[in-house]
Amino acid sequence: MALSRRTLLGLAAGVPVSAALAACGSSGPSKSGGGATYWYLNGQPQEGVRAGAVDAFNKAHPKEQIKDTTFQNDAYKTKIKTAIGAGQAPTIIWGWGGGTLRTYVEAGQVEDLTSWFDEHATVKKGLFPSSFGAATVDGKIYAMPCETVQPIILYYNKKVFERVGAKPPKSWDDIMALVPKFNAKGIAPFSLGGQSRWTNMMWLEFLFDRIGGPELFQAIIEGEKNAWNHPDAITALTKVQELVKAHGFVKGFSSITADSNADQALLYTGRAAMMLHGAWSYGIQKADGGDFVSSGALGYMTFPPVEGGKGDPSDTVGNPAQYLSISSKADAEENKVAKDFFAKGVLQDEEVKKWIDNGSVPIRLGTEKLLAASKNADFLQFTYDIASKAKVFGQSWDQALSPTAAETLLDNIAKLFQLSISPEQFARNLNAVTAK
Amino acid sequence: MSALTGHPPRREPRSILPWLATPALVVFVGFAVIPLVGVFALSFTTWDGIGAIHPSGLTSWRAVLTNPGLPHALWVTFLVMVVSWAVQTPLSILLGTFLAGRQRYRAVLGVVYFVPLMLSSAAIAIAYKALLDPNFGLGAGLRIHALSQDWLGRPGLAFGVVVFVVSWQFIPFHSLIYQGGVQQIPKSLYEAAQLDGAGRIRQFFSITLPQLKYTVITSSTLMVVGSLTFFDLIFVLTEGGPGDATRVLALDMYKRGFQANLMGPASAIAVILVLVGLALALLLRRLGGRDAGASQLEGV
């Protein structure tokens, strides 16, 4: 057939449109392929471990296939929400548990796994007990805890401490006393990526716990009226502002983002003496900081107690785990594959080894020997001890609260650190969104 | 845009030309009108983006209108609009006039100068963010103390930086429009002025500027309406911060809708944005007078 100009034009006009329409139609996971779909975050080294677990499961179970798709962090948060809202959720939903999981539960979008965990008690017993808190909504378990535990840790630069002749702080008063010492030498006492806002939040999480004990934030989560106005809460908020006023944080902290890792760079280049950050920061400093970690210059400790505070210094905060839920829209076959993956595919020996090699502590119990044999043994043992011995492992506030409250919280935290609102105003603004 | 098009083409007998607009119309209805109606409908509901959509009458509107964040976001949006207009317009006119000359070096300069126009807003924001970093940025690198300010961490400075970066990005575009406008001005006017002994400055104020009236209106409309949609640049540069110092309306809408899961109030803000944009565009057309679409060359 000779191609006339008209057919060519017709083709040219038709192809993009039909391609676009086809793309619209197939953007959700397809239901035809059998097997389950699974969406999670990309970015190395975590992505490789996740993909490895899926591959291993698919190889071991030829009849039960999992199709995985990866997304970039911020894009994923919007995408998964839109997909669930449109009834196009993947079978297995990767997430952070807590407040977001609660919104899924309240919308009836994820399956109740309580009875499944009762039937598979060995699976449950093999994981950190503290990891189940953020998977539980109103007494029922809606997610399988997975991957690693990430408590918040106080890092410090040993070289800088030696140069100034100072010792790591043992209490809040020590912290306040160290601030002028470092400032006098032109070193920032604390590095902080304040534009990301959740970075500032870690300070409040610890101060609330150390001063008022875990009950203080628990009352907030439960929607108790005026919970943010509690005298202990006001004390904690005031202490943070005192630290800001004393120039405790690096100059320009509110324009530094954590994503760029500039806050980590301040610590390992010796421009800042200390930094409060997640356990994941160890791997970043090891990768980016040259010989900083290998030369033993990186010190780490847990957040010190506050004089007269009610909190137990063994308590910690951070991410108790990551979480996998099953979409309630999944059909019977997909559902079965997902559950088999939970039982026989998540945190198997191979995956556990990979997490440890990457410098993180998987939430499986009984890995002490593997941790001790690792190149990062000291740090991993430290993290494991914090996580397994903590009486209370508080979940990061922005994950624990509903997304609506979390957004108001982060906004007001930025303003609190900016000194543009008082502790009392902060409490008032937040009572309005968290009280029931 | 009508100021640029000049005379409408002579009417063709029984032309099929109107039908050629159909594809554009279909796209416009599909991707603009229908979503707009959807957003309007959503603004009367409460929806977290995940569960069921509940009609809730005016609840979302009330939530938006009684929230102290709205006047602030409107004020910031207005301020960005006015200040960036006031910065961009005089510079664009001067640059456009300068670039309209015939020397070869001006053409080279013009090409170099248009580079910012080809970069995406996100790339520009990331680059500026790195340059302005108080600890690792330009100031620290060159050891110029005055440059290592907390540019994005202090409300006043952050606002200034946003206006500066917006201007840096868009002045080339508007200069291009003015360059075209200046080249349209008949040479005979300048020749007459020269005979009357008018200097270059006098010529600029008595001929160039008045002749650019409609170009100013076109460019201003684009600037003003465009400034309502500033999002990507501010989102990457400051995320609306510090605090809410640079939180414009479009950013407020995104944060409420996609970060705080409040689709109803976010839709209400979207409707407000559309209304403000329409009102501004109409107002600017009115300022241009009824003959804005007519040729400026008639009677010369």
Side-chain angles (χ1 to χ4, degrees), chain A residues 74 77-78 81-82 84-86 100 103-104 107 109 195-197 250-257 259-260 262-263 265-266 269 271 403-405 407 411 414-415 418 420, chain B residues 47-52 129 132-136 140 145 148-155 235-239 242-244 247 254-263:
Chain A
D74 286 345
K77 286 180 182 164
T78 310
K81 202 185 298 173
T82 319
I84 292 176
T100 310
T103 60
Y104 297 164
Q109 298 285 2
Q195 199 190 83
S196 302
R197 306 182 301 175
V250 62
K251 181 177 139 191
F253 70 84
S254 36
S255 57
I256 300 172
T257 49
D259 310 351
S260 64
D263 47 353
L266 285 167
T269 56
R271 294 188 211 202
T404 310
E407 193 49 34
D411 265 350
K415 288 184 196 163
Q418 205 71 57
S420 63
Chain B
W47 185 36
D48 60 6
I50 294 167
K129 212 169 152 161
L132 294 173
D133 186 298
N135 296 296
F136 300 103
H145 193 66
S148 24
Q149 301 290 326
D150 188 5
W151 290 110
L152 298 170
R154 298 221 329 253
F235 185 68
V236 179
L237 207 56
T238 67
E239 277 196 51
D244 50 12
R247 188 190 272 219
Y254 172 81
K255 289 205 158 201
R256 288 199 211 205
F258 292 100
Q259 292 189 344
N261 277 13
L262 295 167
M263 288 294 173

Side-chain angles (χ1 to χ4, degrees), chain B residues 73-98:
Chain B
L74 271 172
W75 170 242
V76 175
T77 310
F78 172 76
L79 221 56
V80 169
M81 182 191 297
V82 172
V83 177
S84 65
W85 179 85
V87 171
Q88 288 181 71
T89 304
L91 287 171
S92 302
I93 292 178
L94 287 175
L95 273 165
T97 311
F98 171 73

Side-chain angles (χ1 to χ4, degrees), chain B residues 233-281:
Chain B
L233 191 98
I234 300 182
F235 185 68
V236 179
L237 207 56
T238 67
E239 277 196 51
D244 50 12
T246 54
R247 188 190 272 219
V248 292
L249 216 48
L251 201 64
D252 198 39
M253 172 182 81
Y254 172 81
K255 289 205 158 201
R256 288 199 211 205
F258 292 100
Q259 292 189 344
N261 277 13
L262 295 167
M263 288 294 173
S267 304
I269 293 179
V271 173
I272 293 173
L273 258 177
V274 169
L275 294 179
V276 173
L278 273 178
L280 281 169

Side-chain angles (χ1 to χ4, degrees), chain A residues 62-131:
Chain A
K63 284 186 185 154
E64 300 187 322
Q65 293 296 302
I66 292 177
K67 194 182 168 305
D68 53 346
T69 312
T70 67
F71 297 90
Q72 191 259 336
N73 183 49
D74 286 345
Y76 179 75
K77 286 180 182 164
T78 310
K79 170 87 181 169
I80 189 76
K81 202 185 298 173
T82 319
I84 292 176
Q88 300 273 0
T91 318
I92 302 172
I93 302 166
W94 190 99
W96 293 267
T100 310
L101 181 65
R102 178 178 280 272
T103 60
Y104 297 164
V105 171
E106 282 166 359
Q109 298 285 2
V110 291
E111 194 183 325
D112 179 359
L113 299 173
T114 319
S115 58
W116 185 83
F117 273 111
D118 289 343
E119 289 158 26
H120 296 77
T122 43
V123 175
K124 194 178 174 190
K125 271 187 207 142
L127 304 175
F128 283 6
S130 61
S131 66

Side-chain angles (χ1 to χ4, degrees), chain B residues 38-112:
Chain B
V39 161
F40 190 67
L42 267 186
S43 72
F44 296 101
T45 65
T46 40
W47 185 36
D48 60 6
I50 294 167
I53 304 177
H54 303 288
S56 62
L58 291 172
T59 319
S60 292
W61 279 94
R62 213 173 291 131
V64 168
L65 294 175
T66 57
N67 187 315
L70 181 74
H72 177 79
L74 271 172
W75 170 242
V76 175
T77 310
F78 172 76
L79 221 56
V80 169
M81 182 191 297
V82 172
V83 177
S84 65
W85 179 85
V87 171
Q88 288 181 71
T89 304
L91 287 171
S92 302
I93 292 178
L94 287 175
L95 273 165
T97 311
F98 171 73
L99 290 172
R102 299 235 173 267
Q103 296 90 332
R104 180 165 289 175
Y105 73 90
R106 297 196 196 195
V108 174
L109 211 65
V111 171
V112 173

Side-chain angles (χ1 to χ4, degrees), chain B residues 129-202:
Chain B
K129 212 169 152 161
L131 289 174
L132 294 173
D133 186 298
N135 296 296
F136 300 103
L138 201 61
L142 300 176
R143 299 188 190 285
I144 303 172
H145 193 66
L147 269 180
S148 24
Q149 301 290 326
D150 188 5
W151 290 110
L152 298 170
R154 298 221 329 253
L157 281 179
F159 182 85
V161 168
V162 166
V163 169
F164 175 82
V165 178
V166 162
S167 306
W168 184 84
Q169 185 183 12
F170 288 109
I171 284 178
F173 173 68
H174 293 282
S175 304
L176 189 67
I177 296 181
Y178 284 115
Q179 183 190 9
V182 171
Q183 282 170 344
Q184 292 278 313
I185 301 171
K187 289 281 159 296
S188 55
L189 291 178
Y190 291 102
E191 284 157 10
Q194 256 169 347
L195 284 179
D196 290 342
R200 300 190 93 173
I201 294 171
R202 182 67 199 266

